């Protein structure tokens, strides 16, 4: 893990979350790493991901190996307050990705987009070209490449991008980064889940009011009822926190 003051972290179920604001995370940690050409593995973790680390020891090892674990989920913030080590605020992974794209646009950095369905991946890249014209598109590829793992990894390596956004869903996206990051000399690597769907316009984020009230999870559930199993994972997380005091 990168050398960040341990006092600025909160441990929840053995996962060490950075405890800072989004602006400080960007300005004090991520932008300097991009400027210096350093490697960085970012996990944006919500309660569902934390529960997965309890269920899968190998996945736990992967998440713990990340340079920065970001609290993406109001349940993480609630858990930190219960531990009397309050995290400043939830840092949504989608917002963090957008801020990094804005910075890449300002600094003319290169970005690789890996994951999602073929049409969604292409639409997301097209949207980036429109909204961030100075971003250099290092490459892009959909997330269905079973049997071609080595070839895709080599393609991403050859692109030599400053940022690599991986939208394979958890735990696959973190597994991909963990398996391949040592082959790179630079790059900020971040799993972004379904962010390409939102970026492409295929899915809509919750209205700002819902986000401000930390109800984005409820909006998603109402729009996508099939996500109910994910909500069960959140409930399991909260029960573990409040009943077992993990």
């Amino acid at each position: 893990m990168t050398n960040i003051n341990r006092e600025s972290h909160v441990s929840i179920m053995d996962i060490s979350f950075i405890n800072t604001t989004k602006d400080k995370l960007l300005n004090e940690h991520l932008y300097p790493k991009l400027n210096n050409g350093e490697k960085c593995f970012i996990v944006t973790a919500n309660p569902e991901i934390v529960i997965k680390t309890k269920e899968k020891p190998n996945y736990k090892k992967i998440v713990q190996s990340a340079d920065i674990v970001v609290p993406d989920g109001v349940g993480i913030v609630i858990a930190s307050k219960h531990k009397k080590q309050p995290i400043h605020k939830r840092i949504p992974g989608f917002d963090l990705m957008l801020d990094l794209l804005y910075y890449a646009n300002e600094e003319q950095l290169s970005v690789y987009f890996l994951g999602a369905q073929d049409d969604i991946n292409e639409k997301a890249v097209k949207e980036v070209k429109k909204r961030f014209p100075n971003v250099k598109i290092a490459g892009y590829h959909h997330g269905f490449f079973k049997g071609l793992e080595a070839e895709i990894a080599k393609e991403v390596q050859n692109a030599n991008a400053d940022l690599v956004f991986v939208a394979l869903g958890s735990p696959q996206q973190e597994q991909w980064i963990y398996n391949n990051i040592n082959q790179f000399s630079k790059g900020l690597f971040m799993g972004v889940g379904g962010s390409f769907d939102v970026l492409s316009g295929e899915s809509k984020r919750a209205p700002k009011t819902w986000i401000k009230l930390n109800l984005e999870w409820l909006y998603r559930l109402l729009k996508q009822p099939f996500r109910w199993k994910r909500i069960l994972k959140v409930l399991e997380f909260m029960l573990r926190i409040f009943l077992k005091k993990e």
Side-chain angles (χ1 to χ4, degrees):
M1 183 173 286
T2 193
N3 185 24
I4 298 175
N5 186 350
R6 301 305 301 172
E7 293 180 358
S8 65
H9 287 74
V10 174
S11 180
I12 298 174
M13 295 188 191
D14 300 324
I15 303 301
S16 183
F17 287 86
I18 190 166
N19 186 10
T20 188
T21 64
K22 180 162 67 76
D23 286 344
K24 284 186 176 181
L25 172 62
L26 289 162
N27 290 300
E28 296 180 8
H29 302 296
L30 303 188
Y31 295 162
K33 288 182 181 298
L34 286 169
N35 295 340
N36 296 329
E38 298 178 35
K39 283 196 294 186
C40 183
F41 175 15
I42 303 170
V43 173
T44 59
N46 55 23
E48 184 185 358
I49 285 178
V50 174
I51 288 297
K52 283 181 184 176
T53 67
K54 298 289 288 185
E55 299 168 344
K56 302 176 183 290
N58 288 340
Y59 184 52
K60 181 177 183 178
K61 176 183 175 182
I62 289 170
V63 174
Q64 289 177 327
S65 77
D67 296 293
I68 298 172
V69 181
V70 176
D72 181 2
V74 64
I76 302 298
V77 177
I78 293 172
S80 73
K81 291 179 179 178
H82 182 70
K83 290 171 63 69
K84 302 190 185 306
Q85 295 176 284
I87 285 174
H88 288 283
K89 197 174 182 181
R90 174 193 173 215
I91 302 178
F94 183 77
D95 292 346
L96 190 60
M97 183 185 76
L98 281 186
D99 283 326
L100 289 168
L101 284 171
Y102 277 112
Y103 189 74
N105 190 61
E106 292 173 1
E107 301 297 323
Q108 299 184 26
L109 301 178
S110 59
V111 185
Y112 195 103
F113 299 85
L114 178 65
Q117 296 178 9
D118 196 4
D119 60 331
I120 291 175
N121 184 288
E122 290 186 5
K123 287 179 182 178
V125 171
K126 184 177 180 180
E127 182 66 16
V128 169
K129 289 179 179 177
K130 182 172 71 174
R131 293 176 60 180
F132 308 100
N134 294 323
V135 167
K136 298 175 183 176
I137 305 299
Y140 55 97
H141 198 283
H142 60 76
F144 299 87
F145 48 82
K146 187 175 181 179
L148 299 172
E149 289 85 355
E151 290 88 339
I152 297 305
K154 192 64 177 178
E155 178 182 319
V156 182
Q157 291 166 25
N158 290 339
N160 198 36
D162 297 301
L163 297 108
V164 179
F165 294 127
V166 186
L168 300 176
S170 297
Q172 291 85 356
Q173 59 195 21
E174 288 81 26
Q175 179 79 60
W176 189 92
I177 294 171
Y178 179 81
N179 288 345
N180 292 284
I181 192 168
N182 288 338
Q183 306 304 315
F184 292 78
S185 60
K186 68 169 186 178
L188 188 154
F189 296 77
M190 177 173 151
V192 296
S195 293
F196 291 0
D197 296 69
V198 179
L199 191 57
S200 68
E202 289 294 312
S203 298
K204 290 186 178 180
R205 281 197 82 189
K208 290 183 179 179
T209 302
W210 290 62
I211 295 173
K212 189 174 181 179
L213 293 173
N214 289 318
L215 292 174
E216 190 169 8
W217 63 272
L218 179 58
Y219 181 86
R220 288 178 184 171
L221 181 61
L222 293 173
K223 290 293 184 179
Q224 301 173 317
F226 60 85
R227 296 173 62 96
W228 65 272
K229 288 185 178 180
R230 296 185 177 185
I231 300 302
L232 291 180
K233 292 295 184 182
V234 176
L235 291 175
E236 180 184 347
F237 172 84
M238 299 311 300
L239 285 172
R240 283 177 178 266
I241 291 295
F242 285 99
L243 298 182
K244 294 187 178 181
K245 297 183 179 181
E246 290 199 56

